[in-house]
Amino acid sequence: MIALLFSSVLAGLLALLLYQMTAYPFFWVDLIYYFKLQRYRKTLKARMQQGITTFLDCFLHEARKHPNKPFIIFENQTLTYQDVDKRSNKFAGAFRTEGSLKQGDIVALLMCNEPDFICVWFGLCKLGCEVAFLNVNIKAKSLLHCVRSCGAKTLVVGADLVCLAEEVLPDLKKDNVSVWVVAHTSPDENFKSLLLNAENMSDENLSDLPKVDVMSNFLFIFTSGTTGLPKAARVGHMKAIVSMIFFDMCGARSDDVIYITLPLYHMSASLLGIGGCIHLGATCVLKRRFSVNQFWKDCVKHNVTVVQYIGELCRYLLNQPMVAEERAHCVRLAAGSGLRSDVWRQFITRFGITQIREGYGLTEANIGFLNYTDEVGPIGRASCFNKLLVPFKLLRYDPKTYEPLRTASGRCILYLHIPFSWTGEAGILVTPLTATNQFLGYAGNKVQSEKKLIRDVFIAGDVYFNTGDLLVQDHKDFLYFRDRIGDTFRWKGENVSTTEVSEVLGVLDFIQEANVYGVTIPGCEGRAGMAAIVLKPDQRLNGKKLYNHLVKTLPAYAWPWFLRVQTSLDVTETFKQQKTKLVQEGFNPDVIHDPLYFLDVPQKDYTLLTIALYHDIVSGKISL
């Protein structure tokens, strides 16, 4: 009787296990990841009880714990955790003594990747300043806008970017903005030399580190948006400290050597990258910029075990001829975002990297996903466990306006997801705002801050953050990034504001109107810029003049690669420019009867886009 009962129970358990493996094959992986996140929450709570509540606190804790461990390897320099701590103390002393900086002051930081970017950042944090990271590719007009929009009264400039600051120096002086240069000398009396002033400062820890509200603002990171010029997104202390677990959740360890080539002014490299190294107590090999020729050589030279990527970086590497170092490295893990499925598979096969960890995140809000499985393509999982920790919804939307659809009673409609089926329908990703899931808004831009919010979504009074991204959930609960909606697109790892580019084009005396959008090119990540333009009466397209104007006003990633000359632009009944049809038609001369032009960079001109030239572009013969 007992044997029969045991056999029945065993058969039932086996049937249950078989059902689970068939219907929910990722159940155990999801559960393990859930417990890992819960464990981190407990660790974070315990650390906060010990007074380790901020990004800076985590660094100082690691500097005390492992003072002599290499933290930053940069070119021929190696700085330990203690080295960075002491150097940032000297910088803090210089800023406080010579610049009268104090808690609550906002400081704009315009520097390329180098160890002193981190030392300046941490030094300012030790004074309680809020630092605004500026994109080093911006032009003079955008630089001035960024400094003003975040409210900075101090600008710190890298030695190699002084010329850019000099262009707007008269305006900065009018605004009473003091300018520091990270060099031993200064160009003139308008700049303060940080390194000279720091020489005689003490490298001992400051005795009066400011007390910080963990729910307050920590950083400003600029994003492109519908206003045209960059928006200063507020990044809170809570988001910063949560971002630090990225490498840990991907499977990195304290003994790893992590290779970071992405720009530090982006959240990926600064909060996830540098922050991730600090959280683990790992070593970071920092590059001034990504070099396709040095990538694998650096990995071999420094015994790199983890690399951080964006999808475009991986594609560049695959497009290079084979080198011996690409199979002689120790890299076991690549972590990042924006990796296409076809590139993903080739990357693993060619370079012998055993793990890819693809993620998704935003600068403005605490929503984020991670594909912790070996499934190729997804950005994360929508399991029931994950939804407990990362609440989100996918909403149905109007394909013309990209606004969420609402019922007759005014409530939003959920994206249709049928378990065990695959519809391929995309939905707008939104996340509820709570005390722990904040959106602190954009500095000096209440209108754009409010535009990111959707109110009365499911019940009266609820508020959700609109990511502006379209996601798809498949029959196995994997999430896939489909597209970015609205007035931005992504190219070369950067967000491009269509409004900003349109405004720049509209300044030219031969262009009457411009409608800017992004178009896909086979084999390329993101979308290349394209502009439909209307010429003024009796005017011709002047490609050389347009090229020279772009060089002066926009970073290269924002230049429109294609032009479509029209007699008029299509608009909606409310006079908004129509982009959907333009995006669908792309830049194919067989489909489009309007004159098309292609940016020939070597010739510094726009040339007529012929069918032969079109095929050279889509085949990859001409690389963008």
Side-chain angles (χ1 to χ4, degrees):
M1 184 71 180
I2 295 176
L4 183 61
L5 181 61
F6 178 77
S7 298
S8 299
V9 171
L10 184 60
L13 289 174
L14 287 173
L16 186 62
L17 181 62
L18 183 62
Y19 172 75
Q20 175 263 306
M21 292 174 66
T22 305
Y24 302 98
F26 296 95
F27 175 84
W28 296 109
V29 182
D30 291 336
L31 186 60
I32 290 169
Y33 183 76
Y34 172 78
F35 282 132
K36 192 174 181 180
L37 276 175
Q38 287 290 60
R39 188 175 72 245
Y40 171 71
R41 283 190 165 191
K42 289 181 180 178
T43 303
L44 181 61
K45 187 176 180 180
R47 280 192 165 193
M48 286 186 168
Q49 290 172 347
Q50 298 169 19
I52 305 171
T53 59
T54 66
F55 194 96
L56 177 64
D57 290 337
C58 292
F59 167 72
L60 295 176
H61 172 73
E62 203 57 44
R64 289 190 297 267
K65 189 176 172 184
H66 301 294
N68 299 317
K69 183 170 183 179
F71 175 29
I72 303 292
I73 297 173
F74 179 80
E75 296 175 354
N76 296 320
Q77 304 176 57
T78 298
L79 281 75
T80 65
Y81 278 85
Q82 185 179 70
D83 291 335
V84 173
D85 186 22
K86 287 180 176 294
R87 190 165 177 81
S88 63
N89 287 336
K90 292 173 79 72
F91 287 169
F95 284 129
R96 181 159 63 181
T97 304
E98 302 298 329
S100 301
L101 291 179
K102 61 187 183 305
Q103 185 170 6
D105 288 342
I106 298 169
V107 180
L109 182 60
L110 181 69
M111 292 181 69
C112 295
N113 283 15
E114 59 175 289
D116 274 348
F117 181 110
I118 299 162
C119 295
V120 170
W121 173 21
F122 290 178
L124 291 167
C125 288
K126 289 177 177 180
L127 299 179
C129 297
E130 298 175 31
V131 183
F133 294 164
L134 305 186
N135 187 325
V136 298
N137 296 300
I138 57 176
K139 301 297 182 179
K141 179 185 176 183
S142 291
L143 171 59
L144 192 60
H145 162 80
C146 290
V147 172
R148 286 172 171 170
S149 65
C150 69
K153 289 301 177 184
T154 301
L155 171 64
V156 182
V157 184
D160 51 346
L161 294 168
V162 168
C163 291
L164 179 57
E166 286 178 326
E167 289 185 51
V168 295
L169 195 58
D171 293 293
L172 293 174
K173 289 180 70 176
K174 285 180 187 176
D175 295 344
N176 295 316
V177 175
S178 61
V179 185
W180 292 69
V181 59
V182 186
H184 286 284
T185 59
S186 57
D188 55 51
E189 69 279 359
N190 295 307
F191 292 81
K192 293 180 180 179
S193 167
L194 176 59
L195 301 188
L196 184 63
N197 281 294
E199 279 183 358
N200 298 321
M201 296 295 163
S202 170
D203 64 4
E204 295 300 313
N205 291 327
L206 277 67
S207 58
D208 54 345
L209 289 176
K211 295 189 185 311
V212 174
D213 177 5
V214 73
M215 305 308 288
S216 65
N217 189 55
F218 173 50
L219 285 173
F220 296 92
I221 295 181
F222 284 85
T223 64
S224 296
T226 55
T227 57
L229 292 166
K231 298 179 296 189
R234 294 187 178 96
V235 179
H237 285 279
M238 180 64 75
K239 177 176 176 61
I241 204 167
V242 169
S243 298
M244 299 177 82
I245 68 166
F246 175 66
F247 283 140
D248 188 0
M249 299 308 295
C250 289
R253 306 184 300 258
S254 61
D255 60 345
D256 276 318
V257 178
I258 301 175
Y259 190 54
I260 296 178
T261 65
L262 306 180
L264 289 172
Y265 57 77
H266 274 321
M267 187 187 85
S268 296
S270 53
L271 299 187
L272 275 64
I274 298 299
C277 290
I278 293 169
H279 172 76
L280 293 167
T283 298
C284 168
V285 176
L286 180 68
K287 289 290 288 184
R288 191 176 298 276
R289 61 182 62 84
F290 168 70
S291 168
V292 71
N293 295 319
Q294 290 297 316
F295 190 92
W296 295 116
K297 292 176 182 177
D298 285 337
C299 288
V300 172
K301 178 182 177 181
H302 298 292
N303 295 314
V304 170
T305 53
V306 177
V307 297
Q308 186 181 27
Y309 70 82
I310 56 171
E312 191 74 7
L313 181 153
C314 299
R315 188 176 67 85
Y316 285 152
L317 291 171
L318 283 171
N319 287 341
Q320 296 304 302
M322 290 187 68
V323 293
E325 291 86 357
E326 70 181 51
R327 298 292 296 192
H329 59 78
C330 303
V331 178
R332 72 171 201 286
L333 169 65
S337 61
L339 188 58
R340 291 203 327 259
S341 297
D342 57 334
V343 176
W344 188 323
R345 292 186 181 92
Q346 293 177 57
F347 197 78
I348 291 173
T349 304
R350 176 170 166 180
F351 301 124
I353 296 176
T354 55
Q355 279 192 326
I356 300 284
R357 289 294 176 258
E358 172 80 0
Y360 167 92
L362 292 171
T363 303
E364 300 98 318
N366 286 342
I367 181 75
F369 304 109
L370 178 67
N371 179 6
Y372 43 84
T373 74
D374 292 325
E375 190 85 0
V376 174
I379 60 169
R381 299 269 303 140
S383 71
C384 57
F385 300 117
N386 288 343
K387 287 183 177 179
L388 292 174
L389 296 172
V390 187
F392 71 92
K393 301 290 183 183
L394 297 178
L395 303 181
R396 296 186 67 188
Y397 64 95
D398 185 320
K400 293 182 179 179
T401 64
Y402 291 107
E403 291 295 322
L405 292 174
R406 293 185 181 260
T407 63
S409 61
R411 299 295 176 252
C412 292
I413 304 170
L414 281 174
Y415 153 97
L416 181 63
H417 172 63
I418 304 171
F420 312 112
S421 69
W422 171 238
T423 64
E425 181 187 355
I428 300 176
L429 174 66
V430 299
T431 180
L433 295 186
T434 63
T436 55
N437 186 24
Q438 302 170 298
F439 169 56
L440 298 178
Y442 302 109
N445 203 328
K446 290 183 179 179
V447 173
Q448 291 301 319
S449 298
E450 183 61 31
K451 280 186 176 181
K452 294 298 291 184
L453 305 180
I454 307 176
R455 300 182 182 276
D456 304 324
V457 178
F458 300 114
I459 58 173
D462 66 358
V463 184
Y464 279 70
F465 177 82
N466 183 359
T467 66
D469 288 335
L470 298 180
L471 267 59
V472 173
Q473 182 176 341
D474 75 1
H475 60 292
K476 294 186 287 187
D477 285 334
F478 280 105
L479 292 167
Y480 295 81
F481 179 82
R482 172 64 62 82
D483 208 349
R484 176 159 288 155
I485 62 175
D487 295 319
T488 63
F489 60 87
R490 197 161 179 83
W491 180 248
K492 302 296 183 184
E494 301 278 0
N495 289 333
V496 180
S497 164
T498 60
T499 308
E500 180 182 9
V501 180
S502 295
E503 289 174 356
V504 166
L505 295 179
V507 171
L508 291 164
D509 56 8
F510 54 87
I511 294 180
Q512 181 170 301
E513 287 182 281
N515 186 1
V516 177
Y517 49 99
V519 292
T520 57
I521 300 174
C524 290
E525 305 287 346
R527 295 174 179 268
M530 184 166 181
I533 61 172
V534 176
L535 298 175
K536 290 182 178 178
D538 302 321
Q539 292 286 338
R540 286 185 168 190
L541 175 67
N542 188 333
K544 288 187 179 293
K545 187 174 182 178
L546 173 52
Y547 173 83
N548 291 329
H549 180 60
L550 293 173
V551 170
K552 294 176 183 177
T553 54
L554 288 173
Y557 62 79
W559 297 350
W561 281 93
F562 306 98
L563 297 179
R564 177 175 179 172
V565 181
Q566 297 185 296
T567 54
S568 63
L569 297 182
D570 292 333
V571 294
T572 66
E573 61 276 5
T574 56
F575 302 104
K576 289 183 179 179
Q577 292 179 343
Q578 290 272 29
K579 297 181 189 287
T580 306
K581 185 180 178 183
L582 293 171
V583 171
Q584 290 171 348
E585 291 179 345
F587 59 100
N588 188 346
D590 283 332
V591 175
I592 301 166
H593 300 297
D594 298 320
L596 297 173
Y597 294 86
F598 172 66
L599 176 56
D600 189 333
V601 175
Q603 296 297 319
K604 301 181 179 180
D605 197 358
Y606 280 86
T607 59
L608 192 67
L609 180 62
T610 62
I611 293 175
L613 183 56
Y614 168 79
H615 286 298
D616 284 346
I617 294 168
V618 297
S619 67
K621 189 175 179 180
I622 293 178
S623 180
L624 273 64

